[in-house]
Amino acid sequence: SALVSPSSKTEQLASNGRTPIIHVDPTTPRTEACPLNGEKYTKAESEAWAKRRPLAIMIENHLDSRPQSGISTADIVYEAVAEGAITRLMAVFYCDAIAADTNVGAVRSARTYFLDWASEYSKNPLYVHVGGGNTPNKADALGQIISYGWGGENDLNQFGLSVKECWRDDTILKKALLVDHVATEHTMQCSTEALWKVAAKRGWAAIGQDGKSWTASFTPWKFADPKPLSPPTATVISFDFWKDYPQYSVKWTYDSSSNLYTRDNGGKAAIDHNSGQQIKVRVVITQFVKETGPIDDHMHLLYGTIGTGKAVIYQNGEAIPATWTKKDRLSRTIFTDSKAKEIKFAAGKIWIEELPTTSPVTVK
């Protein structure tokens, strides 16, 4: 995550589609804990992220939009069905994206339940999307953005941005999928660094227009040093979001040597286009939420983000049964164990799978 030397790490980041920004001496100790993922970074990096607030970017997961760009640089990723059986991602970029500019894509439209999760990162989070649901019902994400006071300010809708921040690029998928044509909706790429600069110009850096730091209302999760279970008991986690749609099935496989879970999507390794490597995270969470819908002709769905329900935390090669609780839109989702004690996550990147309450999950 840290940029450690112009001759090695800089070249590595550049080859991964990332433009280096912060230069850090390779001997610099990692002493600063990231408030989002618990991992340790250098003081130079923490001083840089302290001037900003997280970017929550909507990324599509349609079969024809893979491989996506930049996901492995996100600290936290949320995944839920957007419509039909097609899942969508909201990737939260902060600590790991601070050392170098990251191209992220394909960026897609807003959904109302993702707004609830984005709201956990302050009353005025930086929410990045390309339009969104605006039907006159509970799936009116664009209407909600306005009612929340985000519109035209901390809301980074691509329609209000320039090509410096977000642009169309069909070459990535043409090359990856070996095709001559790619649907336009799969081509939107955005720059993390350019988005942060626009946010700062609008008055939404770490200190917002309200004169308060985004961290003033932010509740970090609790973290602990990773301690692999030996032997591991949860090595393969697999599930479908909807039955009979295998192209959106997910499998996480535990790698005991790295103490990370690697992602397969639709029966294939999930690759980040920027790095060319399979996506890996420290913690996988299956959070079971009430699914309602489709509620309109556009096949929009609703998910119960507020309240309480069941979850399972997968980390260190083990499965931990949990209960999730979210009091209201602006409250943090907290995960507790059987004794109602908040669970400490193994420090590292987190992927939250938002599954309908009836979804079966296979664990081996």
Side-chain angles (χ1 to χ4, degrees):
S1 52
L3 184 56
V4 296
S5 74
S7 60
S8 57
K9 193 67 174 183
T10 301
E11 293 175 355
Q12 178 184 338
L13 288 170
S15 67
N16 288 351
R18 304 181 65 194
T19 302
I21 297 169
I22 300 173
H23 294 270
V24 179
D25 187 308
T27 62
T28 302
R30 293 169 175 257
T31 58
E32 311 303 307
C34 172
L36 268 61
N37 65 34
E39 283 196 300
K40 297 294 181 65
Y41 293 79
T42 64
K43 188 174 181 180
E45 288 169 295
S46 70
E47 289 175 347
W49 77 54
K51 299 175 182 177
R52 300 177 175 182
R53 62 183 61 205
L55 286 167
I57 305 181
M58 297 301 299
I59 303 173
E60 71 164 317
N61 193 37
H62 189 284
L63 184 63
D64 295 337
S65 70
R66 306 172 199 164
Q68 298 99 327
S69 303
I71 294 176
S72 60
T73 309
D75 299 313
I76 302 170
V77 177
Y78 297 80
E79 181 174 19
V81 172
E83 59 263 327
I86 305 170
T87 59
R88 187 154 300 175
L89 314 175
M90 185 180 78
V92 184
F93 296 85
Y94 193 54
C95 301
D96 208 47
I98 210 72
D101 186 17
T102 302
N103 288 350
V104 179
V107 180
R108 204 61 191 271
S109 59
R111 290 293 182 272
T112 178
Y113 34 95
F114 285 106
L115 302 182
D116 293 349
W117 295 316
S119 296
E120 298 192 17
Y121 299 90
S122 86
K123 184 179 179 180
N124 300 97
L126 300 181
Y127 185 64
V128 185
H129 60 104
V130 181
N134 63 344
T135 52
N137 55 31
K138 292 182 179 180
D140 184 12
L142 296 185
Q144 288 172 321
I145 286 171
I146 298 299
S147 68
Y148 296 162
W150 299 1
E153 298 293 342
N154 56 291
D155 175 53
L156 298 176
N157 188 340
Q158 178 266 332
F159 292 120
L161 301 173
S162 75
V163 292
K164 292 181 180 179
E165 293 81 42
C166 298
W167 61 92
R168 296 284 179 188
D169 182 356
D170 64 0
T171 61
I172 294 172
L173 293 175
K174 281 183 177 180
K175 184 176 181 180
L177 301 176
L178 301 177
V179 296
D180 295 326
H181 174 73
V182 175
T184 302
E185 60 263 31
H186 303 322
T187 63
M188 184 62 69
Q189 299 281 314
C190 296
S191 155
T192 55
E193 187 66 14
L195 290 167
W196 266 317
K197 288 181 178 178
V198 166
K201 289 180 180 178
R202 292 184 181 181
W204 295 109
I207 306 297
Q209 294 179 349
D210 54 6
K212 299 178 181 179
S213 170
W214 74 274
T215 58
S217 60
F218 177 67
T219 302
W221 284 321
K222 295 181 179 180
F223 294 95
D225 291 335
K227 294 181 179 179
L229 181 68
S230 184
T233 56
T235 57
V236 180
I237 307 146
S238 56
F239 52 85
D240 295 320
F241 281 87
W242 280 17
K243 186 180 178 182
D244 300 325
Y245 287 88
Q247 60 270 49
Y248 299 99
S249 64
V250 171
K251 181 174 75 172
W252 291 98
T253 304
Y254 181 65
D255 176 13
S256 57
S257 63
S258 63
N259 193 25
L260 297 171
Y261 284 93
T262 60
R263 175 178 166 89
D264 282 26
N265 199 186
K268 298 180 180 179
I271 303 297
D272 186 326
H273 168 76
N274 290 354
S275 65
Q277 301 297 311
Q278 189 171 12
I279 294 168
K280 301 178 181 181
V281 299
R282 183 78 68 193
V283 180
V284 176
I285 301 174
T286 51
Q287 180 181 357
F288 298 94
V289 293
K290 181 181 178 181
E291 180 182 73
T292 303
I295 64 171
D296 55 29
D297 292 342
H298 298 282
M299 302 297 286
H300 288 145
L301 297 159
L302 296 176
Y303 287 97
T305 62
I306 296 168
T308 187
K310 295 181 179 180
V312 181
I313 313 299
Y314 299 93
Q315 60 183 14
N316 297 321
E318 66 176 325
I320 305 171
T323 297
W324 66 266
T325 303
K326 181 174 169 67
K327 295 179 181 180
D328 52 40
R329 178 175 66 86
L330 295 173
S331 295
R332 189 74 158 143
T333 301
I334 301 297
F335 298 88
T336 54
D337 63 17
S338 59
K339 297 180 180 179
K341 184 178 180 180
E342 185 174 351
I343 294 170
K344 291 184 178 181
F345 297 142
K349 296 182 177 181
I350 301 167
W351 195 295
I352 306 172
E353 305 284 13
E354 307 289 355
L355 294 168
T357 53
T358 56
S359 293
V361 176
T362 301
V363 182
K364 298 179 180 179

